[in-house]
Amino acid sequence: MWLQLVPGIVSCIIFTCTPESPKYYLSVGKPDKAYAVLEKCCRSSKGKDVTLKSLGIDSLRPPETYALETTKTGCARVWEETKPIFTPPILKPMMLITVTLFLLFATGFGLTVWIPRALKWGNDIHKELILCDMIDEAHAKNITFTESPCHLSMRTLHASIYLGACAILFSVLITVLFVWTHRKIILLLMASLSVAGGLMLNFVKIHELVIVGCVFLTVPALSSIRLALSVLIDAIPTHLRSKAVSLATMFGRVGVLVASMYVGYTLSWNCFVTFNMFVVFMTGVILLVSLLPFDGRTGSRTAL
């Protein structure tokens, strides 16, 4: 169990040693620090004898950027630095992506943790029923996980393995699609697949198709989170990106807690309401993504 702390500890060490980007320093009016970081990168990549001056770069000139001038400290200063996120024209993409992330996290993480248990209940029934009927019958027969967490069989882990493998495949698919089309189209496609998967669970009875429906409901949402964050990063000025991404991700993680508790309280009460609510969530994602602004980086109205 303690081994799970190792990646986090290693990440903290790496982040501590990683310098801030020169672009950020320029955006907040600190060209000297930007020059120092760029000088260090130059020496690391081209050798210790190579300097920016030897390449003809004597200084860095910051562009016209937002500069915060305040005497406030502590929480008051943090609020002053964060407040521009909630002003036009940044407010619209910030709110759209934040709500989108809330729904994606809720479906991709909050529901996913319950899918293996739901499929296990259905697998113990040994009947061709739709997922909710299998869960209701499992509850009626008081079927629960009888295996010790320390002695799980491969059969019990099948659903988790399928979900993990499909998450990798969908991530690769999104990467390939990103070469050929735009982020907005990919997000709409992934959300549509989730809606289709959720609707499948209302009528498919073959166990393999039930698994497919669960995968399509949860995995596209899970795989779309980073893509949605990239849209937010491009929509927010450099000096506000870290705060915007942190806030949006925080609300996304709140979605995980809300969704997990929602499933826990409603699954035994009305399974159809439980799963179809996530269909509503992903339909909401489709509507929100369709409202995202166009990306003008190529000089044309190209969708994000």
Side-chain angles (χ1 to χ4, degrees):
M1 182 176 179
W2 291 102
L3 289 176
Q4 298 177 18
L5 297 175
V6 174
I9 294 173
V10 173
S11 299
C12 288
I13 295 173
I14 293 174
F15 287 143
T16 302
C17 301
T18 302
E20 190 58 81
S21 71
K23 187 176 181 181
Y24 169 77
Y25 281 132
L26 287 176
S27 70
V28 295
K30 297 180 180 179
D32 293 338
K33 289 188 176 182
Y35 189 89
V37 173
L38 207 57
E39 178 81 17
K40 185 177 180 180
C41 294
C42 179
R43 291 178 181 273
S44 298
S45 61
K46 295 183 176 293
K48 295 182 178 180
D49 297 331
V50 180
T51 63
L52 290 178
K53 284 189 176 182
S54 67
L55 298 176
I57 303 174
D58 295 325
S59 63
L60 299 177
R61 186 178 65 181
E64 294 183 5
T65 55
Y66 164 86
L68 178 68
E69 295 182 1
T70 180
T71 58
K72 296 180 179 180
T73 59
C75 294
R77 182 179 179 86
V78 171
W79 169 243
E80 286 295 321
E81 293 176 345
T82 308
K83 190 164 57 175
I85 295 175
F86 302 103
T87 57
I90 302 173
L91 178 61
K92 180 180 177 181
M94 178 66 187
M95 296 305 297
L96 288 174
I97 296 298
T98 298
V99 179
T100 298
L101 285 172
F102 179 92
L103 300 176
L104 290 176
F105 268 90
T107 306
F109 285 107
L111 176 60
T112 300
V113 297
W114 286 90
I115 291 297
R117 173 169 294 193
L119 292 176
K120 176 64 168 58
W121 281 330
N123 203 32
D124 289 339
I125 297 300
H126 303 294
K127 293 181 181 179
E128 287 194 352
L129 300 171
I130 63 174
L131 180 61
C132 284
D133 287 345
M134 288 190 290
I135 292 174
D136 291 340
E137 189 164 338
H139 285 153
K141 294 182 178 180
N142 199 26
I143 296 176
T144 59
F145 279 112
T146 56
E147 298 182 48
S148 168
C150 297
H151 299 87
L152 295 174
S153 66
M154 183 57 67
R155 182 184 178 188
T156 305
L157 296 174
H158 275 169
S160 298
I161 294 172
Y162 293 152
L163 289 172
C166 290
I168 296 174
L169 291 176
F170 268 90
S171 297
V172 173
L173 174 62
I174 288 175
T175 303
V176 173
L177 289 174
F178 192 51
V179 177
W180 300 100
T181 187
H182 305 291
R183 287 174 293 187
K184 187 172 183 177
I185 296 175
I186 299 173
L187 288 170
L188 290 172
L189 175 62
M190 292 296 112
S192 299
L193 289 176
S194 289
V195 171
L199 293 176
M200 280 180 60
L201 297 178
N202 289 302
F203 58 86
V204 294
K205 297 183 178 181
I206 301 174
H207 186 67
E208 288 74 15
L209 291 180
V210 172
I211 295 176
V212 171
C214 291
V215 167
F216 273 78
L217 174 59
T218 57
V219 174
L222 176 64
S223 303
S224 300
I225 291 174
R226 290 189 179 274
L227 193 62
L229 278 173
S230 72
V231 176
L232 179 64
I233 289 171
D234 279 354
I236 303 296
T238 303
H239 61 283
L240 295 173
R241 283 176 184 170
S242 60
K243 295 180 177 63
V245 171
S246 297
L247 284 172
T249 306
M250 179 184 70
F251 279 103
R253 289 172 177 168
V254 171
V256 178
L257 298 176
V258 172
S260 185
M261 290 189 293
Y262 164 77
V263 175
Y265 282 113
T266 63
L267 190 60
S268 59
W269 167 65
N270 194 320
C271 176
F272 287 98
V273 172
T274 300
F275 284 99
N276 283 296
M277 181 58 69
F278 289 97
V279 175
V280 174
F281 282 2
M282 296 311 297
T283 303
V285 170
I286 293 175
L287 296 176
L288 292 169
V289 171
S290 65
L291 295 174
L292 285 173
F294 286 91
D295 186 358
R297 288 177 300 171
T298 60
S300 61
R301 288 175 63 84
T302 304
L304 282 169

